[in-house]
C-alpha cells in the first residue's frame, strides 16, 4: 500500500543519511545502473539503432586507441632515454 511504501522510503532515507561518502558513491552508482538498465529495457533495438550505436562506439574506440598509442609511445621514449 501507499502508506507502507512511504514508510519504506522514509526508512531508506534514514539509512542513506548514515552512510559514509564512499557508501554514498556506491549507492549513486547503483542508482545510475538501475536507470541505465530501465532505459535499455525500454529501448527497441532496430537495425538502424544498432548501426548508429556501432558507428558511435567505433569512433569512441578509435579515439581511445589513438590516445593509448600516444601514451605507449611516450612510455617507450622514456624507457629509451634511460
Amino acid at each position: 500500500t501507499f502508506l507502507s511504501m512511504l514508510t519504506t522510503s522514509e526508512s531508506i532515507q534514514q539509512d542513506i543519511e548514515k552512510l559514509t561518502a564512499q557508501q554514498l558513491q556506491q549507492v549513486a552508482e547503483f542508482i545510475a545502473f538501475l536507470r541505465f538498465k530501465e532505459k535499455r529495457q525500454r529501448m527497441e533495438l532496430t537495425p538502424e539503432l544498432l548501426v548508429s550505436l556501432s558507428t558511435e562506439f567505433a569512433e569512441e574506440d578509435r579515439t581511445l586507441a589513438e590516445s593509448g598509442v600516444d601514451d605507449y609511445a611516450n612510455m617507450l621514449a622514456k624507457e629509451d632515454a634511460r
Side-chain angles (χ1 to χ4, degrees):
T1 66
F2 177 74
L3 185 55
S4 64
M5 182 184 284
L6 184 59
T7 303
T8 302
S9 178
E10 288 173 0
S11 172
I12 291 171
Q13 279 184 316
Q14 290 172 359
D15 288 340
I16 286 176
E17 290 173 4
K18 298 174 187 173
L19 297 178
T20 65
Q22 183 179 11
Q23 290 169 324
L24 285 172
Q25 180 62 38
Q26 291 174 339
V27 170
E29 290 170 5
F30 183 67
I31 291 170
F33 166 75
L34 291 175
R35 288 179 178 159
F36 170 77
K37 183 178 165 187
E38 179 184 349
K39 182 179 179 182
R40 192 182 76 187
Q41 287 174 347
R42 288 184 285 149
M43 185 185 311
E44 182 181 339
L45 294 177
T46 63
E48 296 80 14
L49 179 58
L50 291 173
V51 168
S52 172
L53 290 172
S54 174
T55 303
E56 176 185 339
F57 290 129
E59 181 61 33
E60 184 177 323
D61 289 347
R62 190 172 15 267
T63 301
L64 287 172
E66 288 172 0
S67 69
V69 168
D70 291 341
D71 291 341
Y72 183 67
N74 290 336
M75 183 181 70
L76 288 177
K78 287 179 184 177
E79 287 296 318
D80 288 343
R82 288 184 182 180

